[in-house]
Amino acid sequence: MSGIRRRALAVLSASLLVPAAHAAADADAARWQREAAAVSIIRDDWGIAHVHGKTDADAVFGMAYAQAEDDFNRVETNYLVSLGRLAEAEGEPAVWKDLRQKLFVDETQLKAMYARSPTWLKALMDSWADGLNYYLASHPDTHPRVITRFEPWMALSFSEGSIGGDIERVSTKDLQAFYGNDPAGALAQVTPPSSWWEPTGSNGIAIAPKLTADGHALLLINPHTSFFFRSELQMSSDQGLDAYGAVTWGQFFIYQGFNKHIGWMHTSSGIDVVDEFAETIVKQDGKLFYRYGKETRPVATREIVVRVKGQGDRHFTTYATHHGPIVRTQGDKWIAFALMTKPLEALQQSWLRTKANDYAAYMKVAELKANSSNNTIYADDKGNIAYLHPQFIPKRDDRFDYTKPVDGSDPATDWQALLPLDKAPRLFNPGTGWIFNTNDWPYSAAGPDSPKQAEFPKYMDSVGENPRGIHATRVLTGQRDFTKASLLAAAFDSYLPAFERQLPILIRDYDALPASDPLKAKLRGPVGLLRAWDYRWGIASMPTTLAVFWGDILWDKASKEDTQEGLSIYDVMAGKAGPQARLQALADAADRLEKDFGSWGVPWGEVNRYQRNDAAIAQVFDDAKPSIPVPFTSSRWGSLASFGAHRWPGTKRYYGTSGNSFVAVVEFGPRVSARAITAGGESGHPGSKHFNDEAERYTTGNLRKVYFWPDELEGHVERAYHPGDKDTTP
């Protein structure tokens, strides 16, 4: 009996002596081998998989298998998170994250959705599970932490490719305080300094043919996520599928990328479609009810079981109203949480858009209205460029401020029907010839041709402008003759607009100090360095280092201040924080640099580093180990190229964990062409030459050629094989 068949038997049954298990295992092994024979995988000289199948389902089988080859741990971990099973692997610290997931993701409901899925989608889910299970069967040295067999319905638990997502708006601290009746334990959950938080999101830019050198539309794809969050691959089939781009580990669709005709880039949206409802709870005859209009309605209850490694099962009685699950209290109110729960439609939309071949087809897919958290920047080979707001937008009464909990007892606050797509901000071929989004509002996406804020409800945006938006407007306005190279140069432009706003205020504070103030002499050198700065990052730039250290210290102080209504942290830093706090933050920054590096004048590349030591999802950084200098900064300062870094326990240097992850620039000429880069490398195996082979290119923005077409791939083939072939581990 083959090793694959033996592993299949083990996956399916604890006992090889049960005849039914034998038959099922044999059937599975035979099916997997038939599917594998219909799939070819070519690894190029960067280790990137180019997967081809006879059918779309075959391609899904192959790409699931290829992802597992590259980093099975990340595939499994994503499903431990999405299924609410992380505590089975990581124990007590993951209990509240699992409970949060299970409040919104119910296994029974997912199985029912799978059963009623369209035949074509069910075939894809079946092949996805088969590809992962075949990988486990053919790689007995891979030991899953929890999931030894993937079931097709599990794909519905992770149907949208964003990092984090709407559900992470729910505080695990609040869940522990409420459902654990444990306010002290909730307070004990570690909260890192706010300056450690890197804005998650992305940059997307589309350029119309009239502004390009060769008359072809261009698209920048620049997601900002945690590093190594996505795989890069190509998947194609004889049924017309042919898409390339970034795939969130474990999913079976290209999340951000392009096909022969169109490209799509998703950026996290500032739209408000995740709302809290303050419920008035009353007890009647020992039972819980909530007020709604002139009536009282029973509070729904559901038992949720969270399995905890080393502890067994934890049982929770959870509560919900028609608005959503209860997630916390506020005063004497219970807070219900409402978000989009359309996994079946979301999975269809995520897949179908990869096969769209023009704008009309893309918009037809968007009518599924199962994208709640992402703006889209679009470009195609017909020369069209477009901006789409998220499509899941419940209509609400604009009298209410949905950025705060609204009164759940007032029926007027309820979500209404989903808005038609043309009622949301969007753009199609604006006169400016360019469109961008940097997770800011849509009202500057095309300069003067942007959607008009006054024409839309307040809930269409809750974040406003950001420094990256100011920067993008600057690098796009008035520019012509764009090429892939010049668009890429714009994406790595070194200007930092946040400091252009903040530092003149700091310098005025210093100039106003009396000569007798001790800070006058102490800060003379640091202020002189910043006074002459051009607000541009660089590896050799000392002002960048000083400014970032100052900004991080002041950011942490300002974030703890009570803020006025609508006042951003940038406004607090520039105003309410005050001269003393601003100047003391600079003194603290200079002291820190002198302590750690011997001088307050330190080149940025000496401090800001990229390091990848092992396959762990949570890296442990070490100043004594090799690392690479990175010139760009956190996006919070307006750097379009983002590198979210800070000190870690035991380090003096900053090490990045998020920001630019996958970057691509695409040209839609007669044949689509692209360049791309992935942080680190394609493989999650430290022994692979593709574990870190893209790192230096990543830090310098030196994107490599994408081998999309077969003739481009010629001469760059490292291996060609079918899933299950021996000795194919990257």
Side-chain angles (χ1 to χ4, degrees), residues 95 107 152 159 232 369 415 445 448 487 581 619-620 623 625 627 647:
V95 165
E107 178 178 322
S159 56
E232 180 181 346
K369 297 180 181 177
W415 282 6
L487 179 55
Q619 294 278 299
V620 175
D623 285 341
K625 292 183 177 179
S627 60
R647 281 189 304 276

Side-chain angles (χ1 to χ4, degrees), residues 4 16 133 249 274 280 296 305 321 361 404 457 461 489 546 555 571 588 651 657 689 716 723:
I4 293 174
L16 297 180
N133 291 328
W249 290 107
V274 176
T280 302
T296 56
V305 178
T321 70
K404 300 176 180 178
D461 175 72
L546 185 60
W555 185 285
D571 294 335
D588 292 346
T651 77
T657 57
K689 67 180 181 180
H716 299 284

